[in-house]
Amino acid sequence: MHALVIHAPLDLRIEDVPTPEPEANQLLVRVRAGGICGSDLHYFNHGGFGTVRIREPMVLGHEVSGVVSRAGSGVIDVPAGTRIAISPSRPCGLCQYCQQGLHNHCLDMRYYGSAMRTPHVQGAFRQEIVIDRSQAHFVADSLSDAEAAMAEPLSVALHAVRRAGPMLGKRVLVTGCGPIGALIVAAARRAGAATIVVTDVNTLPLESALKVGADIALNVAEAPDALQPFAADKGSFDVLFEASGNAAALRGAFDVLKPRGIIVQVGLGGEMTLPMNAVVAKEFDLRGAFRFHEEFAVAVELLNKGLIDVKPLISGVFPYQESVKAFQTAGDRSKSMKVLMTFD
Ligand SMILES: [Zn+2]
Ligand SMILES: [Zn+2]
């Protein structure tokens, strides 16, 4: 079978890799669809992000869905032919953080397609993969393979919304509405947000965010002062989801966030200089949001029931044989939201 292996920046190869056998409580899965994530793009374009670098060839990908082709011993509830979304979150279950229910902080996390540890954890952009039964989540017939693969980024969004606390009646600002920002819009809307305003520097992400539930979309490249009306009376928003990783976006939101406003930083932004006196004087809560764990099951359930529609965010599907074109397309934010590949 084939896998997509990154060797160096812009050096992504289709390689033959052996198909392992499913052991006890495992499943052999035929991968159907895989979404290209921001982290995959960082590995593809730059060989990594921050201090995380590719030090050995690594199969990319962690947003996948597929069909079970064979179950290992001990699995009685997942027959061959079952369509599933695969959670790439593989915490150890034993460390202190897993014991506390903080699985995304596991000391021995083996997240697919990640160079955070060496040897790297190989990813899921491959035609066949062996997973643990616990990673498999049943997908409704009404859902396409591509929609099912969106369960992973939706889980990231659900975790971010959960980090913000109760959404009911809140006025929400989302800065940066690529796939994660737009999915936060959908999740916050579903969770009861009263008003959702989004900003971006491109037209397509703004239009996409409106399709999944945003009330107002502001292009801050065309109108840098577009948020200014929201600064009156110490601000208009209860919650900021910062999904751009851009220091200017975060800094600008300080002026429009109400006192005691909650900032959830989702975008990875590296080092920034910020006016901490504003954090003090307006008593902001600054919170991070990183990955997810139990939210994956919730994401699949919301998708299965049609309570969140991710179709407007799918902007392209390519066969894996055209993976380089798929990655190049995914990297163009003016033309793409979520780009996926098929692995038939
Ligand atoms: Zn992802
Ligand atoms: Zn653990």
Side-chain angles (χ1 to χ4, degrees):
M1 64 144 168
H2 285 158
L4 298 182
V5 184
I6 189 84
H7 285 255
L10 305 178
D11 183 3
L12 181 64
R13 304 179 196 171
I14 296 173
E15 289 181 2
D16 258 317
V17 295
T19 297
E21 283 293 307
E23 295 173 9
N25 299 313
Q26 291 188 323
L27 303 167
L28 175 64
V29 180
R30 183 91 195 163
V31 176
R32 282 263 186 90
I36 297 173
C37 185
S39 60
D40 297 316
L41 282 171
H42 278 293
Y43 290 124
F44 176 74
N45 287 312
H46 314 295
F49 44 89
T51 55
V52 178
R53 298 279 129 194
I54 314 165
R55 296 175 210 285
E56 60 190 357
M58 181 176 81
V59 179
L60 289 178
H62 57 266
E63 303 178 1
V64 295
S65 64
V67 182
V68 173
S69 46
R70 193 147 41 88
S73 65
V75 182
I76 53 167
D77 59 341
V78 193
T82 305
R83 294 176 65 231
I84 57 167
I86 300 173
S87 175
S89 174
R90 296 188 298 159
C92 74
L94 301 171
C95 74
Q96 56 171 311
Y97 298 110
C98 284
Q99 290 296 307
Q100 290 169 26
L102 302 175
H103 295 91
N104 59 328
H105 296 288
C106 174
L107 295 171
D108 195 22
M109 173 63 78
R110 295 177 55 76
Y111 208 92
Y112 283 146
S114 171
M116 281 189 184
R117 54 193 282 168
T118 304
H120 302 339
V121 183
Q122 299 296 315
F125 285 165
R126 55 176 77 221
Q127 293 182 293
E128 289 183 300
I129 190 166
V130 167
I131 67 169
D132 291 336
R133 163 66 188 88
S134 58
Q135 293 173 260
H137 296 258
F138 300 131
V139 167
D141 292 343
S142 54
L143 229 52
S144 69
D145 296 322
E147 289 171 83
M150 296 283 281
E152 196 271 353
L154 177 56
S155 305
V156 173
L158 292 172
H159 184 70
V161 170
R162 178 173 272 172
R163 289 283 293 139
M167 271 297 113
L168 192 64
K170 300 291 192 212
R171 305 200 178 278
V172 173
L173 173 64
V174 181
T175 51
C177 36
I180 293 295
L183 287 165
I184 287 172
V185 169
R189 181 56 89 203
R190 176 49 62 191
T195 307
I196 304 176
V197 177
V198 297
T199 65
D200 203 284
V201 294
N202 282 299
T203 307
L204 177 68
L206 292 166
E207 287 173 351
S208 305
L210 289 171
K211 285 181 193 160
V212 293
D215 297 294
I216 300 172
L218 303 172
N219 189 324
V220 289
E222 289 170 2
D225 295 331
L227 275 175
Q228 210 47 47
F230 297 94
D233 301 332
K234 289 194 173 186
S236 307
F237 299 104
D238 303 297
V239 179
L240 163 68
F241 293 100
E242 205 304 292
S244 73
N246 183 300
L250 178 55
R251 170 67 193 87
F254 279 16
D255 299 331
V256 296
L257 202 57
K258 288 182 191 172
R260 301 255 169 123
I262 294 167
I263 299 168
V264 180
Q265 182 67 39
V266 191
L268 287 166
E271 292 188 22
M272 296 178 183
T273 301
L274 295 168
M276 295 311 284
N277 53 339
V279 175
V280 173
K282 291 181 86 172
E283 300 192 308
F284 291 146
D285 264 336
L286 179 54
R287 305 175 184 179
F290 181 62
R291 291 179 180 162
F292 59 86
H293 184 67
E294 67 270 32
E295 290 89 351
F296 196 90
V298 182
V300 175
E301 191 170 1
L302 291 171
L303 292 171
N304 281 346
K305 289 178 174 168
L307 293 172
I308 286 184
D309 181 10
V310 295
K311 286 193 290 293
L313 307 181
I314 296 172
S315 62
V317 181
F318 294 80
Y320 76 94
Q321 292 90 342
E322 295 175 25
S323 55
V324 170
K325 193 171 156 203
F327 272 73
Q328 286 166 345
T329 306
D332 184 348
R333 294 206 61 232
S334 68
K335 293 198 183 73
S336 294
M337 288 293 283
K338 180 60 72 179
V339 173
L340 297 105
M341 292 176 292
T342 53
F343 290 87
D344 300 332

